[in-house]
Amino acid sequence: MRKIIPAIIITSIFIVSALRTCWSGDDDVSVNNAKTEQPIPIDNALRLRTDSFIAAQKSVGSLGIMLYDITAGQPVYEYNANVPMRPASCLKLLSCIAAMRTVGTGYRYRTRLYLDGNIINDTLRGDVILKTQFDPAFNRDSLSILLGALKQRNIKAVKGRVLLDMAFIEPMNHEQHWIAGDLKTSRMGLIYHGYRKMRIETLYGLMSAAHINVNIDSIRFGRLVPRRAIKIAEISTPLHYAVEKALKNSSNINAETLLYLLGYTADTGGNFRHNGVMALRRFIREELKMNPDKVSHIDDGCGLCPDNRMTPLLLIELLKYAHKHKSIYSEMMQCLPSSGTDGTLHDRMTKPYLQGRIKAKTGTLTREGGISTLAGYFTGADGHLIAFAIMNNECPVMDGRWWQDKICEKAFLPNDNTSNRQARQEYKKAAR
């Protein structure tokens, strides 16, 4: 009897379950359908306005454009979105986002001063070691601060070596397609001037000015031995410095320093520009899941090379990727120029209702018939966050900028007070 009862119970449960399924009929299906998430609708008015503007205001030269609704997770509009075009400085978006992902947004460049030896009276019997990284802000004042640590220890002479432990010893050079003047060496961080200038013109000169006696022949390239040396001073610069300069001010030098950092992180030996380009291609392939050969051609980290190519779709995928990573998106919101407010957009889209509404990277080259690009974010009338990319090639720069500003004004953010007020509120939430 004890064996029969469990069998009866199991059979009863099965019958009840079957009956419930039969009684429910289509009700369970409708319930399940009700629970299925419906796609978030996009703003069709935005799509229609964009299409109408392009039809009415033909762009000079070639045009590529794409809008993507990040909130809805759907494309809004595409025109030549898969055509590789010259990105100019919009390529900096790739360098900055790849660098932030690779080393982290909290990364700091560190330059350190070490001692290896004994201080007897006012003389160091041993070595001074300066270990540098890729700090784009490190200058003569920075070095003077570090050398001040020697004076604090009352060191007036070095009877040993002064070693420069530098990640690379050659100065940053032009990319082969750049023209004279593209690389403004006066704006470069000290270490990017190379070992020779660091050794003679800078380190020896500053030590002499600080009345620290050192034999010039004792200043040479060398490597730090951590287990023996003692750190006595350090200066650090956040990655944010280079990213902000590259995005807000479109600094070519700072974008190239990010390329060097990426190259060194990938491979501590070899050509850091080449290694950095390979790292950018790898980022496109592994992080964005795109074929770099189909969507890009990359020769530098700043966009100066006229042979660079990116598709509008690639720019959109970069913006989507940044938004998915909270720390990167936060940096982007701080560092991208704001329309009519700051950076390279301070004098564009200055009408009151447009000020601060567009956060975007600009791109400008006067070569190849003129190149003007714009890619970034805005919040639409429906409160959705929109990523956009506009690429004008073979077009006079001023014409391209005018066209971009007008499509932002007439199609993306038309002057409707009610919708603009809502959009501004949503934009502030997104920025936080």
Side-chain angles (χ1 to χ4, degrees), residues 171 194 202 204 237 249 262 296 301 318 330 338 408:
T202 308
Y204 179 73
T237 300
N249 305 115
L262 283 166
S296 68
L318 278 167
S330 176
S338 296
C408 288

Side-chain angles (χ1 to χ4, degrees), residues 172-243:
M172 182 186 287
N173 293 317
H174 274 63
E175 195 276 334
Q176 61 177 331
H177 301 101
W178 296 356
I179 61 175
D182 277 341
L183 193 66
K184 295 179 172 59
T185 56
S186 61
R187 301 180 184 178
M188 289 164 49
L190 199 56
I191 61 171
Y192 291 94
H193 289 272
Y195 164 69
R196 290 183 180 178
K197 189 168 184 177
M198 277 283 289
R199 175 178 176 262
I200 304 298
E201 296 182 28
T202 308
L203 188 53
Y204 179 73
L206 288 177
M207 292 185 78
S208 298
H211 304 292
I212 300 172
N213 186 18
V214 60
N215 187 326
I216 192 171
D217 293 330
S218 70
I219 303 177
R220 64 189 68 172
F221 180 81
R223 292 300 186 192
L224 170 70
V225 182
R227 68 177 181 275
R228 290 168 37 188
I230 299 171
K231 183 177 72 173
I232 63 169
E234 176 179 305
I235 284 182
S236 69
T237 300
L239 183 72
H240 171 85
Y241 173 91
V243 171

Side-chain angles (χ1 to χ4, degrees), residues 250-311:
S250 204
S251 166
N252 295 318
I253 293 296
N254 281 277
E256 287 298 298
T257 67
L258 293 173
L259 190 71
Y260 273 55
L261 176 62
L262 283 166
Y264 182 81
T265 303
D267 182 357
T268 57
N271 183 311
F272 294 140
R273 172 175 278 120
H274 173 76
N275 294 346
V277 169
M278 292 301 101
L280 293 180
R281 286 175 52 83
R282 187 161 54 253
F283 180 85
I284 294 172
R285 182 174 60 252
E286 296 179 0
E287 297 291 332
L288 302 183
K289 310 301 181 186
M290 305 177 82
N291 184 340
D293 293 327
K294 291 185 177 181
V295 299
S296 68
H297 177 85
I298 302 166
D299 281 335
D300 61 26
C302 63
L304 274 174
C305 177
D307 288 353
N308 288 320
R309 296 290 189 279
M310 299 177 78
T311 64

